[in-house]
């Protein structure tokens, strides 16, 4: 009951209240388990759902520390012996920490994360790890390494064990023509990020537009199957290439779906600035003063993949657009 109101909070853009509601629910669960010693079975799923929801809200609210801490709590509550009891239902949760690190541009931290050894049990987590590593290497301008990780991703999603793995209402990987799975979204984001660093901008934006479409076609769920809106990467990189008109439309759509989210608001502000729409840009910046009060990382763009780094054909790391220090 403490948790339920947060389903409304997310759709009206009150991400702080969603965090608070789920923190209260998590603490109530912990007290109950401490008193009764009963925390498994179906109830475990509810407990993990509260944590998953808290992480999702914290990602929208720009709170890396909170999101990362509770993503690690999920991992702690789903050790190997627990996941083995219901891998088709539980293993999908274990990629949450990777979504947090990608959201907040923690590229070096991603590359320090261990890669699961038991790929049959941790199939989805392994695929998500290779996805995150590919995006991290791309963001660092290390394209050969990114392509290597991408190829490993494709090897994992061919494994039969991935069939039937779900996260709430969505498949983790959909091998049908519909491609309606969470990792199918990851595939297009990953391809777009790699194309972008190679200065293949049309291919990059086409992949990211596909990612947006796939994300929108996921089955309704809360948390949404793909926890970081794909429009943030698409719009941020469009802004970086000074394609402000399309970027503005991207962020306007994002803010319709996820009202008052600081990432979309930052992207819209940058688009308006590029278009010379001073009044709207100032309104966005005024909103950001309130929306970023609890944020604990610098807000440079709607997606922290927008860092000005790409690699040219001579394989030398070069800077494109704005020179920024790597995270």
């Amino acid at each position: 009951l403490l948790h339920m109101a947060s389903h409304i909070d997310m759709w009206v853009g009150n991400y702080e209240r969603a965090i608070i509601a789920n923190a209260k629910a998590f603490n109530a669960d912990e007290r109950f388990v401490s008193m009764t010693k009963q925390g498994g079975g179906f109830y475990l799923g509810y407990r993990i759902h509260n944590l998953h929801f808290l992480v999702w809200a914290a990602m929208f609210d720009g709170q890396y520390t909170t999101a990362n801490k509770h993503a690690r709590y999920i991992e702690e509550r789903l050790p190997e012996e627990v996941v083995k009891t219901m891998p088709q239902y539980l293993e999908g949760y274990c990629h949450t920490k990777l979504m947090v690190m990608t959201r907040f541009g923690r590229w070096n931290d991603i590359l320090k994360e261990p890669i699961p050894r038991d790929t049959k049990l941790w199939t989805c987590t392994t695929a998500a790890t290779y996805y995150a590593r590919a995006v991290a290497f791309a963001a660092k301008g290390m394209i050969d390494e990114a392509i290597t990780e991408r190829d490993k991703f494709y090897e994992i999603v061919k494994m039969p064990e991935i069939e039937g793995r779900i996260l709430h209402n969505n498949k983790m990987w959909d091998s049908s023509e519909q491609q309606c799975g969470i990792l199918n979204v990851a595939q297009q984001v990953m391809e777009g990020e790699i194309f972008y660093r190679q200065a293949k901008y049309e291919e990059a934006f086409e992949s990211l537009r596909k990612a947006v479409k796939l994300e929108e076609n996921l089955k309704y769920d809360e948390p949404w199957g793909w926890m970081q809106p794909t429009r943030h990467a698409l719009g941020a990189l469009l802004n970086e290439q000074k394609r402000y008109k399309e970027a503005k439309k991207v962020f306007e759509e994002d803010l319709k779906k996820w009202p008052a989210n600081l990432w979309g608001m930052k992207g819209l502000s940058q688009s308006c600035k590029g278009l010379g729409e001073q009044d709207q840009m100032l309104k966005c910046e005024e909103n950001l003063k309130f929306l970023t009060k609890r944020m604990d990382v610098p807000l440079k763009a709607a997606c922290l993949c927008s860092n000005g780094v790409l690699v040219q054909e001579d394989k030398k790391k070069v800077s494109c657009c704005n020179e920024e220090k790597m995270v």
Side-chain angles (χ1 to χ4, degrees):
L1 290 176
L2 291 168
H3 150 84
M4 290 305 295
S6 64
H7 285 272
I8 298 173
D9 293 330
M10 289 298 296
W11 289 111
V12 299
N14 198 328
Y15 307 113
E16 179 188 21
R17 195 160 62 186
I19 293 169
I20 293 170
N22 283 283
K24 288 180 178 179
F26 168 66
N27 290 331
D29 285 334
E30 292 295 287
R31 290 195 299 271
F32 180 83
V33 172
S34 178
M35 288 187 296
T36 66
K37 310 302 179 187
Q38 301 296 318
F42 198 65
Y43 180 43
L44 174 63
Y46 274 110
R47 292 164 57 212
I48 298 299
H49 175 61
N50 294 340
L51 286 170
H52 191 210
F53 212 105
L54 195 161
V55 171
W56 185 44
M59 289 169 67
F60 269 99
D61 207 44
Q63 295 190 44
Y64 169 71
T65 303
T66 297
N68 182 58
K69 179 174 73 173
H70 290 86
R72 301 293 171 171
Y73 285 168
I74 293 173
E75 188 176 38
E76 290 171 8
R77 283 154 181 77
L78 293 175
E80 180 177 334
E81 61 271 19
V82 173
V83 173
K84 279 183 175 179
T85 64
M86 294 187 292
Q88 66 271 39
Y89 300 116
L90 295 178
E91 196 250 328
Y93 284 109
C94 298
H95 82 296
T96 305
K97 63 180 180 181
L98 297 158
M99 299 300 100
V100 171
M101 288 187 283
T102 305
R103 163 82 279 182
F104 290 96
R106 309 292 292 196
W107 314 127
N108 292 329
D109 291 341
I110 288 170
L111 298 177
K112 292 176 184 176
E113 280 294 311
I115 300 171
R117 293 184 179 181
D118 186 351
T119 55
K120 290 185 177 181
L121 177 62
W122 304 105
T123 317
C124 302
T125 308
T126 306
T129 300
Y130 287 133
Y131 152 77
R133 288 173 62 86
V135 172
F137 276 126
K140 291 165 70 69
M142 302 169 69
I143 295 302
D144 289 342
E145 292 84 349
I147 290 172
T148 297
E149 302 302 313
R150 179 199 66 186
D151 292 345
K152 292 177 181 177
F153 170 91
Y154 284 122
E155 290 175 10
I156 295 298
V157 296
K158 291 177 183 176
M159 293 179 63
E161 287 79 9
I162 205 165
E163 297 296 331
R165 299 279 171 102
I166 63 172
L167 183 57
H168 291 290
N169 295 334
N170 284 287
K171 294 180 180 181
M172 286 300 297
W173 174 257
D174 185 359
S175 57
S176 74
E177 290 184 4
Q178 291 181 321
Q179 298 184 348
C180 191
I182 292 169
L183 291 170
N184 299 88
V185 181
Q187 174 190 1
Q188 293 301 327
V189 173
M190 175 178 63
E191 292 288 3
E193 294 282 359
I194 292 173
F195 278 135
Y196 187 83
R197 308 303 162 175
Q198 295 172 316
K200 296 178 180 178
Y201 300 123
E202 297 310 319
E203 293 93 331
F205 294 135
E206 184 58 29
S207 289
L208 292 170
R209 292 184 193 107
K210 286 181 182 177
V212 171
K213 184 176 181 180
L214 290 174
E215 180 199 342
E216 289 293 293
N217 287 337
L218 289 173
K219 292 181 180 178
Y220 184 90
D221 214 349
E222 297 176 24
W224 201 258
W226 189 254
M227 298 176 75
Q228 174 183 345
T230 48
R231 286 188 175 92
H232 293 174
L234 172 60
L237 295 177
L238 284 168
N239 271 341
E240 193 169 89
Q241 291 305 310
K242 299 181 173 55
R243 301 189 187 191
Y244 301 119
K245 188 174 181 180
E246 182 182 354
K248 184 183 178 185
K249 291 180 180 179
V250 168
F251 289 121
E252 286 173 340
E253 287 300 311
D254 176 67
L255 287 161
K256 285 179 185 177
K257 183 171 184 178
W258 307 111
N261 86 80
L262 58 89
W263 306 96
M265 192 67 69
K266 180 66 175 179
L268 182 60
S269 174
Q270 292 176 329
S271 298
C272 291
K273 182 179 179 180
L275 291 169
E277 297 176 358
Q278 188 75 2
D279 289 346
Q280 189 172 359
M281 185 270 287
L282 290 174
K283 288 180 182 178
C284 291
E285 289 299 311
E286 191 63 30
N287 287 332
L288 283 168
K289 290 178 183 178
F290 171 76
L291 297 177
T292 58
K293 280 185 176 181
R294 295 169 300 279
M295 193 173 193
D296 58 4
V297 297
L299 181 60
K300 297 180 179 179
C303 177
L304 298 182
C305 61
S306 175
N307 60 8
V309 173
L310 57 84
V311 172
Q312 291 182 330
E313 291 181 359
D314 62 3
K315 306 299 182 184
K316 293 180 181 178
K317 189 186 298 184
V318 298
S319 176
C320 160
C321 313
N322 298 320
E323 183 73 30
E324 291 184 10
K325 185 178 180 181
M326 299 302 299
V327 176

